[in-house]
Structure formats: C-alpha cells, structure tokens
Amino acid sequence: MTGLQDRLTPAQIEEFGRELDALRQRIVDDLGQEDVDYIHTVIKTQRGLEVAGRALLFAGFFPPAWLAGVGALSVAKILDNMEIGHNVMHGQYDWTRDPALSSQRFEWDTVAPAENWRHSHNYIHHTYTNIVDKDRDVGYGILRMDTAQKWHPYYLGNPVYATLLALFFQWGVMLHDLEVENVVKGERSWADNVPVLKKIVRKASRQVGKDYVLFPLLTGPLAPLTFLGNATANLTRNLWAFAIIFCGHFPADVESFTEEETASESRGQWYLRQILGSANISGGPLFHIMSGNLSHQIEHHLFPDIPARRYPQIAGEVRAICEKYGLPYHTGPLRKQLWSVAKKIVKLALPQTSPSPTTVEPDRQLRAA
Amino acid sequence: MTALIPRRVRSLASLAEALLTPHGMDRYLELVDPMLVRREIRGLVTAVRKQTPDSVTLTVRPSRAWPGFTAGQYVRLQVEIDGVRRTRCYSPCGSQYDGELEFTVKEQGLVSGHLNRAIGVGSVVNLSTPDGSFTLPATRPDRVLLIAGGSGITPVLAMARTLVDEKHPGEIVFVQYSNGPADALYRTELAELAARHPGLRVVHAHTHTEGGELRGFFTPEHLARVAPWFRDAEAYVCGPKPLMDAVREQLGERVHTEEFTPPALTFDTANAEGQVRFKRSGRECANSGKPLLEQAEEAGLSPEHGCRMGICFSCTQLKTAGRVRNAKTGEISGEEDEEIQLCISVPVGDVEIDA
Ligand code: FES
C-alpha cells in the first residue's frame, strides 16, 4: 500500500485541493433562505414529535399509545441529535446569525454537554481524523479499532465493550470528554477535568431529571411505564447513533494514519485524509435525514461546516473527483457497513497479524527518516 | 418585572423549563406564535404607512420582554433577509408612554431597504433592549430646543411627544430641517402636536426651497428668530454632523446630541505584529494594528458593515483563531471560534477570520 503522501503527486494534490475548495465555495455562495427553511422544518417536525411522544405516554396504559409515544420520542431524539444538534453545533448555520441556530449556543437532547463535545468532536476528531493516538474517536479510548493500536489482553473484551458502548452511547460520548485514557497515561490531570466534569454533572442531571423523574412523576400511576418509555427512546437513539457513527469511520477499507505522515499537511493533503478516513452509507432521502446526513460522512468530513442537506447534492461531484484522482470512495448499504464494522470489532479483539488498511508503510517511513 | 408574575405561575414556568430542557420554553412557544417568546424581544408589525416616497413608518407591538424605552434611545432591530439575520439601529419616534413602537426608516442600505420594500403588517422582527444616553434629564428643563435634520427626527420627535404627554409646562421649540416641504417627515403630526400643546412651537427650516419659516442651513440667526431665549435652553439635536456641529458651536455644553461615537478608539499601529488571514477568501496581510474591518478593506475585501463604531453588529464575523483586542473596552479575547465585530476588533498577533 502506498504512503498517504505518495498517493498523488505534489501538483496533483494541489489541483485536487483547489477543486474541492472551489466546490465548497460554490455551495457557500449559494446558501440562503432554502437552507434556513429546511432546518426550520426539521426543527418543527422534531419538536412536534417530541411533544406528541410525551403526550402519548400520558395514555401509556393503552399499549398502542405507549408504542406510538416511544416511537415518536425516539425519532424526535434522533432528529435532535443528528440532523439538528450535530450539524448546528458544527457551525453549519452560524451564517444565519440566528441565536437559536448558533453553534456556540445550541444544546442537544443528550447527557453530553455541547461545549465539551464541541472540543472533542469539532476540534479534535475533525482536525486529526483517523490519526492513531491523536483522534480519540478511534476506538473511543475503549475499543481496539485499528491494528496500529497495540494489542493487550484487555482488548479480548472488544465485542463486549462495543455492545455496552452501543447501548449506553450517550453516556459514552459524555465520558469521552473526560479523556480518561489520557489521565491514566499521565498526559492529562484530574484538575484539567474539573470544568469538564462540572458541565457533565449539570447537563446529565437535567437530562436524567426530565426523562427519569419529572415526566414519569407527571404521569402519576403510569410513572413506571413512562420511565420505561423514555428509557426505550434513549436506547433507540443510542443504538442508532452508534450504528451510523461507527459505519462512518470503521468499515474494513477505511484507512488510518500516523502522526509522522500527517505532519505539516497542506489543505489538499488534509482533504485527502478525510476521504480515505471516512465511509458513506447508501440509502434513500429519509434515511439520510435520520442519520443527520452522516450517511455522507465523506462529504461531512471534507466540509463539516456546510449545511448537511447539501451533502447529497454534492456527493456525485465528490465521487467524480475521487475517481479522477484514482482515490477510493467508500460506500455501501447500512447492513454491509455494519457487518464490516462488527467483523472488525471481533477480529481486533485478538492480536492481529495482517494489518488493517493503513497507508503507513514502515519501510518507507524509515527510508524517509 | 418578575415580581408582577404571581409565585405559582413562576414555579410553573420553571417546571416547564425543566421539562423542556435542553431547548427551553421559547423554542417551543415560538413554533406556536413567534410573539409568545419570553426571553427574546420580538416585535409584531401592526401598521405600515408611507409618509414620503423614500421612507416607511412602521408601528410595532413589542412582545412581553420589552422593558420600555426612554425617549431618545435607540433599539437594534433585526430582520431576516435571505435567511440571514441583519441588524440596524433605529430610534423609536413615538412617546415613551405609548404601548407600541413607531419607527420611521429611510430607504437606504440593506436593512432599511428591506424594511421599506418587504415588511408588511403581521411581520415579526427581533428587537434588542433599548440603548443610548441621548435622553432628557429626569428633571425636565424649562426651556427645550429640539432640532432635527432629515431622518434624525426620530429620537427628537420621541422627546417632543413624550414632553407633550407629560404636559410639559415650559417652552419647547422644535426646528425641523429638510430640503423642502416634501421631505419634511411628520409634518402633519407635528402640526397636530403643536395644536394640542400650547407650549410647543414647530418651525420648518427648508434648506433648498422657499416656504418654511426659515431658509437655508442652520445659522445662529435661526435660533435668535425662533427661540430668543436659546441661551437658557437645553438643546437636543439629531441630524447630519454639520448641523450638530454648528449648533454645538453656538450652545456649547447645553447641546446634547445622539452620540453614536464611542470614546475615541486608540490604535497602536507602530507595534502591530503578526499576520491577518481571511480564511474564506484566502487573503492574508501583515497586521497593521488597525481595526479588522479596515484591514479587510485594505486587503481588497468588502465585508458587510454599518456604523463602523461597534454599535450595529452588521460587521460581525467569526474569528477562527488568534486573539483580538476590543478597541472599545480594551478587553482581549482569544476564545476559539468566536463572533467578533470587525470594526472595533484589533488583532493581537496572528488572527484568522472566516471572511
Ligand atoms: S458594529 Fe457596526 S459596523 Fe461594526
């Protein structure tokens, strides 16, 4: 396999970067009322489903009402976290100058506080995408998701940890911000975590308060049913978010990188890494909306601050650019990607002999050094 | 304000907030009716009329959070144009005792143009809390000179109407400068106001045509003719800068003007360091120590702006890296991805702006 920086010649990589910049600029220049109308429609739908879901649980003694309530609430939470929260907090709507759509002010319906997440996700993950040891989303500090991560008997539990992470995903994302593995390694002190922790406690207690105390209490004798309904909605959202996010970065053919080969990248090289490090999920328009358009993970990683509804529009063009430069464009239906991720989780529980795809070629690195 | 809300309602409201976390009540209420929000101030346009071909007068009913204003103050008014919220400052020109706000807006520039062309009855705008110290003192002066030029009439008219509502016992002279009768905003209203209040005298000064009581630009004789007592009066002036300067020359300290200018901003252009990068356009230049708006313009960009003095927020852009000093407050800020006002932000070292 070729080293990351040898995939294209210097002239090619520059031209490649320019083409993507131009594509971005075209979209940015075109942003306007339609984008705002779109996100307002999604928000209205989300709020409507949420209110309806909560209301239906007041009739939770009637099983179809309970089921419908949980369904509506699950979809509301998914929309809130994915097509609205994730995207708004990426600054995709900051240009509207609407405080309700401001990346700095938005808060989402999960226990992870927006502010912590903006640091760990927008900054760390999106800057150091798939650089082993820098991108903390590789394995979330819990899992072994790449052969470049040294095997340890602890990783025998990989499938178990992955299952737990999927079930309790919102809590995983919340704790992720504490960077426990860096504290263990001595690269971060507990004192650094005090402000992070404060926000966590505040946010999590509000979320728990509303889902598991207030709403159940309000339904009086139905409290256990409401509690269960809210827990189910949270669980559904967790499983869905986990699936979409893991399919975006961990199918078999997605590549990872080393710090050395990504040092002092040009704009074009950064784009290149985003493409090689992400994978799309194919599907219909509704599926894309429900995944927050993270089914277009490649486009999202190239242009994280462009409104996500634009990703499907530009996907064809991005793919054509990839073809032109002989680059892979990883995509596939959800079940294929999920299967690939599951296999990887299980395989990497064991010490690995054959490397997973990585552009790192040790010999070349040595020669270059 | 909160004291007026009975306790039970308040605790109900906080229960609702807890149930509607993390978005809060307003984000749900506004979907029912944008005017229901509790924390932001919205304004519903209830009447639109044209006084002159190039201006529009809007009557706006503010939502619950509106704290009221003092005659002479201004408000930041926000409208959505092509999906983007744009802001401009306007002085309400009604009496401070009116429940509704009145704005008269000359058709010039992006926001004012939009207000003239696209706003109709039923439109909703966003309002800020009122601001500005161009106001009458709590103990009203006996003799008041109100001088307005062009669209500068708005804060001064608010004062006149407020004084009339208060049945001000002293003398008020209102001098309005305009090109000619056709441009004199609020001509009829002023006449009615004078008819209602014996202490108020309205004088029209026309700079370009005959027909007013006074002719030409402001001169000291104008004052001597219409308000011989002017040396004992407090004068409130709003209009073009030459007019305000000319009046100030006559009356010195007794002149109060709409000071949109903050205390002189100081820029250290000699010791400026670092590079300024405008990310979207890919331009880069050495930091000259001047406000970023000027540096951007010197680099060939034309960022949107309004007041150029930190008031209107039309120049707000995202700073993606580096530190800036706020020339108004001296505050240094290095927050990541922060919105800053280009016209009053000076780079401290390397800075990257998303423009
Ligand atoms: S705040 Fe008005 S131009 Fe900057």
Side-chain angles (χ1 to χ4, degrees):
Chain A
M1 193 159 285
T2 333
L4 172 62
Q5 310 308 12
D6 301 323
R7 301 289 278 254
L8 300 172
T9 66
Q12 275 178 322
I13 195 83
E14 210 177 292
E15 180 55 25
F16 166 77
R18 250 204 306 273
E19 278 188 51
L20 286 169
D21 276 341
L23 174 56
R24 174 178 195 279
Q25 195 55 47
R26 239 183 40 226
I27 301 297
V28 168
D29 293 343
D30 190 46
L31 294 179
Q33 197 62 49
E34 261 186 44
D35 300 270
V36 181
D37 291 345
Y38 169 80
I39 196 71
H40 282 154
T41 309
V42 178
I43 289 175
K44 257 192 202 155
T45 311
Q46 186 273 331
R47 306 277 200 262
L49 284 167
E50 187 184 351
V51 172
R54 303 269 184 210
L56 279 165
L57 287 176
F58 279 82
F61 53 85
F62 181 52
W66 188 87
L67 271 178
V70 172
L73 199 53
S74 304
V75 176
K77 282 185 182 261
I78 287 171
L79 283 177
D80 176 283
N81 287 184
M82 307 196 72
E83 183 68 339
I84 306 168
H86 170 271
N87 293 335
V88 166
M89 290 193 291
H90 260 293
Q92 294 181 357
Y93 295 93
D94 278 1
W95 55 273
T96 65
R97 299 186 203 155
D98 178 350
L101 297 178
S102 147
S103 61
Q104 301 305 301
R105 274 170 265 196
F106 196 86
E107 203 32 279
W108 54 354
D109 185 5
T110 135
V111 290
E115 208 182 327
N116 293 348
W117 181 84
R118 276 199 300 269
H119 173 80
S120 64
H121 180 88
N122 284 12
Y123 169 50
I124 303 287
H125 169 61
H126 273 272
T127 312
Y128 304 114
T129 315
N130 282 26
I131 303 178
V132 175
D133 287 338
K134 283 205 106 172
D135 179 2
R136 300 185 52 262
D137 281 21
V138 177
Y140 280 74
I142 317 171
L143 303 172
R144 184 163 180 257
M145 292 308 295
D146 197 284
T147 44
Q149 292 170 281
K150 220 175 131 257
W151 188 81
H152 182 278
Y154 159 85
Y155 287 124
L156 285 171
N158 231 22
V160 179
Y161 313 145
T163 311
L164 289 172
L165 182 59
L167 291 173
F168 298 101
F169 194 58
Q170 64 162 341
W171 297 94
V173 173
M174 178 193 86
L175 293 172
H176 189 51
D177 299 326
L178 288 172
E179 304 191 19
V180 177
E181 78 281 9
N182 287 337
V183 177
V184 174
K185 277 192 263 172
E187 286 169 8
R188 187 181 169 92
S189 75
W190 276 111
D192 294 335
N193 264 340
V194 172
V196 181
L197 204 62
K198 272 198 189 142
K199 286 180 203 120
I200 285 181
V201 171
R202 212 177 107 104
K203 178 75 194 292
S205 41
R206 288 182 179 201
Q207 291 290 122
V208 169
K210 105 176 145 157
D211 275 343
Y212 298 124
V213 183
L214 289 179
F215 272 110
L217 281 181
L218 275 182
T219 49
L222 297 184
L225 281 177
T226 310
F227 183 97
L228 194 68
N230 291 351
T232 313
N234 278 325
L235 174 72
T236 314
R237 182 269 323 272
N238 286 353
L239 292 172
W240 179 253
F242 173 89
I244 296 300
I245 288 157
F246 269 60
C247 287
H249 285 297
F250 305 122
D253 35 14
V254 170
E255 301 177 24
S256 62
F257 317 96
T258 64
E259 285 184 54
E260 297 77 37
E261 68 179 339
T262 54
S264 63
E265 278 177 334
S266 67
R267 181 99 176 128
Q269 288 167 332
W270 183 86
Y271 277 140
L272 172 63
R273 175 156 58 84
Q274 304 306 322
I275 290 178
L276 300 177
S278 317
N280 282 5
I281 316 169
S282 50
L286 188 62
F287 170 72
H288 292 316
I289 293 172
M290 291 301 287
S291 72
N293 277 299
L294 293 178
S295 45
H296 288 97
Q297 192 71 244
I298 299 176
E299 287 74 22
H300 173 58
H301 260 270
L302 289 172
F303 313 118
D305 56 353
I306 281 184
R309 69 178 281 266
R310 299 285 191 154
Y311 297 153
Q313 296 172 15
I314 59 171
E317 215 171 317
V318 171
R319 195 169 185 159
I321 294 178
C322 289
E323 259 158 40
K324 176 172 161 193
Y325 290 93
L327 300 169
Y329 184 89
H330 310 302
T331 185
L334 184 62
R335 54 194 145 68
K336 179 188 147 217
Q337 304 294 65
L338 266 181
W339 179 238
S340 176
V341 171
K343 267 200 312 208
K344 196 178 206 173
I345 291 172
V346 174
K347 243 165 75 186
L348 290 177
L350 303 168
Q352 200 71 10
T353 41
S354 65
S356 53
T358 160
T359 54
V360 191
E361 197 191 338
D363 290 350
R364 185 185 305 273
Q365 291 293 324
L366 283 179
R367 274 205 310 274
Chain B
M1 189 61 204
T2 43
L4 297 176
I5 306 171
R7 231 225 172 76
R8 189 167 326 136
V9 176
R10 242 190 306 161
S11 53
L12 259 183
S14 57
L15 174 65
E17 285 289 351
L19 291 171
L20 297 176
T21 188
H23 303 302
M25 214 188 313
D26 282 355
R27 297 284 85 86
Y28 295 84
L29 289 176
E30 72 187 354
L31 298 179
V32 181
D33 175 353
M35 289 294 287
L36 286 179
V37 295
R38 302 159 72 245
R39 290 181 203 279
E40 285 164 49
I41 310 170
R42 302 267 164 85
L44 176 72
V45 177
T46 55
V48 177
R49 79 192 158 95
K50 279 221 151 308
Q51 297 190 55
T52 61
D54 65 344
S55 78
V56 71
T57 299
L58 307 173
T59 309
V60 174
R61 191 172 75 230
S63 63
R64 278 173 44 179
W66 174 248
F69 78 111
T70 307
Q73 286 188 311
Y74 62 86
V75 179
R76 278 182 287 275
L77 189 146
Q78 248 187 358
V79 280
E80 200 177 285
I81 307 175
D82 289 333
V84 183
R85 287 202 188 192
R86 310 277 178 177
T87 311
R88 272 291 263 143
C89 302
Y90 299 103
S91 300
C93 44
S95 157
Q96 67 186 48
Y97 303 107
D98 290 347
E100 298 204 317
L101 298 167
E102 184 176 308
F103 295 102
T104 287
V105 176
K106 258 204 127 136
E107 182 168 5
Q108 72 200 160
L110 186 68
V111 176
S112 301
H114 180 85
L115 291 176
N116 270 272
R117 287 185 306 268
I119 292 285
V121 170
S123 304
V124 174
V125 299
N126 293 289
L127 303 171
S128 72
T129 48
D131 222 333
S133 52
F134 179 56
T135 52
L136 297 162
T139 328
R140 309 301 197 204
D142 278 345
R143 291 173 156 164
V144 185
L145 248 177
L146 302 174
I147 304 177
S151 54
I153 186 173
T154 55
V156 187
L157 179 62
M159 292 178 181
R161 286 171 157 173
T162 298
L163 288 172
V164 168
D165 277 355
E166 288 173 355
K167 305 207 167 21
H168 180 70
E171 288 177 273
I172 312 166
V173 167
F174 192 116
V175 191
Q176 183 183 30
Y177 284 84
S178 58
N179 292 338
D183 297 310
L185 290 162
Y186 287 105
R187 218 185 157 77
T188 354
E189 284 83 351
L190 282 170
E192 281 165 17
L193 209 58
R196 233 172 81 197
H197 189 75
L200 170 67
R201 176 168 173 217
V202 175
V203 178
H204 288 281
H206 294 161
T207 50
H208 289 73
T209 60
E210 302 290 336
E213 285 99 314
L214 299 169
R215 175 76 219 263
F217 289 103
F218 174 86
T219 65
E221 292 83 74
H222 284 185
L223 285 186
R225 275 184 48 199
V226 300
W229 38 259
F230 69 90
R231 290 196 190 282
D232 308 322
E234 296 289 329
Y236 297 83
V237 193
C238 188
K241 192 163 181 323
L243 172 67
M244 301 206 280
D245 288 346
V247 181
R248 188 174 294 113
E249 216 171 277
Q250 287 310 300
L251 293 168
E253 280 191 350
R254 309 206 133 225
V255 172
H256 309 272
T257 49
E258 168 118 87
E259 284 302 352
F260 261 170
T261 335
L265 307 181
T266 52
F267 308 113
D268 185 0
T269 45
N271 298 312
E273 289 174 356
Q275 288 289 113
V276 183
R277 231 175 77 75
F278 297 99
K279 201 163 114 191
R280 247 181 286 145
S281 54
R283 309 267 166 97
E284 193 166 332
C285 57
N287 173 20
S288 65
K290 290 196 222 158
L292 277 163
L293 181 59
E294 273 176 60
Q295 301 208 36
E297 286 169 344
E298 278 160 18
L301 304 181
S302 38
E304 201 185 313
H305 62 270
C307 65
R308 304 189 76 103
M309 47 184 79
I311 294 165
C312 68
F313 288 84
S314 17
C315 64
T316 303
Q317 295 279 3
L318 193 68
K319 173 185 64 119
T320 43
R323 297 194 305 155
V324 293
R325 185 168 53 85
N326 181 324
K328 263 165 95 179
T329 62
E331 214 178 299
I332 301 225
S333 150
E335 222 181 286
E336 199 177 286
D337 278 347
E338 171 193 27
E339 296 206 325
I340 58 166
Q341 289 160 277
L342 293 186
C343 66
I344 50 159
S345 297
V346 183
V348 181
D350 293 342
V351 160
E352 186 182 75
I353 306 295
D354 188 25

